[in-house]
Amino acid sequence: MEYLAIAEKYTDFKITKDGMQIATLNYKNWFKFNAEIEISNSKYMVEPIGFWGTTVEVLDGKKVLLKFTINWGSNIIIETYFDDEKSYIFKHRGFFNESFVLTDQKGSELLMMKPNFKWNNLNYGYKITTTSIFESLNNKNILLLNSLHCANYYMSIMAGMG
């Protein structure tokens, strides 16, 4: 399956599938990692915790749905707390042909994100390709939006903005 994540005004992203908008990710401020995810009519808050903000939680009200932390190997470890606890690894690959990959605990690839930057309008986004394993997940949309947030988080940390 293919999705597109398109940035609007640097702080707002919309996710589309087959030309239809399915979700949004809105940052409160360009230099902060606080954000709001909206899928259908449900809203979730994305909030860094701790002094350095190296761990980020996605909340449904006060309930933690998932959290992620960047490790020393520059991978992002995602822990989910939906119906059962699972963990995933979000990693950066390449430099000139850069992409991001989300894998499960067994190392199976679930999705790949390829960033693209449009110099003419200073806009950027991601082309996201998912596998059938990913598409079968119950909470795939929140995981998809979290992956987008992880890619933005990684890009801003590497750019020295975080």
Side-chain angles (χ1 to χ4, degrees):
M1 195 60 60
E2 277 196 9
Y3 299 85
L4 290 176
I6 302 152
E8 298 175 337
K9 302 182 291 176
Y10 295 111
T11 57
D12 300 328
F13 284 82
K14 68 178 184 179
I15 302 278
T16 62
K17 179 172 99 176
D18 301 325
M20 301 290 292
Q21 182 173 320
I22 61 164
T24 60
L25 172 64
N26 302 303
Y27 292 94
K28 300 197 184 304
N29 182 316
W30 176 242
F31 296 103
K32 302 263 188 228
F33 295 122
N34 295 54
E36 181 180 87
I37 291 173
E38 187 170 346
I39 302 168
S40 299
N41 290 325
S42 299
K43 291 186 180 185
Y44 309 94
M45 300 309 298
V46 181
E47 297 179 356
I49 56 173
F51 180 74
W52 297 105
T54 54
T55 297
V56 177
E57 293 180 335
V58 176
L59 305 164
D60 182 4
K62 293 193 182 280
K63 181 182 182 208
V64 176
L65 296 179
L66 60 86
K67 68 179 173 181
F68 67 85
T69 307
I70 194 162
N71 70 12
W72 290 106
S74 295
N75 292 331
I76 296 175
I77 308 303
I78 302 168
E79 297 173 45
T80 63
Y81 306 100
F82 302 121
D83 300 326
D84 56 351
E85 291 185 27
K86 291 188 178 169
S87 35
Y88 301 92
I89 299 173
F90 187 84
K91 47 188 153 184
H92 178 259
R93 287 201 302 208
F95 184 74
F96 293 109
N97 189 17
E98 120 180 287
S99 64
F100 296 96
V101 177
L102 180 71
T103 61
D104 64 14
Q105 295 163 314
K106 299 173 193 160
S108 300
E109 195 171 295
L110 301 176
L111 68 77
M112 183 176 72
M113 302 177 74
K114 293 195 68 67
N116 61 2
F117 187 79
K118 294 183 172 77
W119 288 101
N120 57 344
N121 60 5
L122 296 177
N123 207 351
Y124 70 100
Y126 301 90
K127 178 181 174 187
I128 306 164
T129 307
T130 61
T131 65
S132 58
I133 299 169
F134 180 84
E135 289 298 321
S136 71
L137 297 173
N138 289 336
N139 295 291
K140 69 178 182 179
N141 286 340
I142 192 103
L143 206 49
L144 179 70
L145 271 286
N146 185 70
S147 295
L148 173 60
H149 185 69
C150 285
N152 291 334
Y153 180 81
Y154 184 90
M155 298 281 264
S156 63
I157 294 273
M158 292 304 122
M161 296 166 71

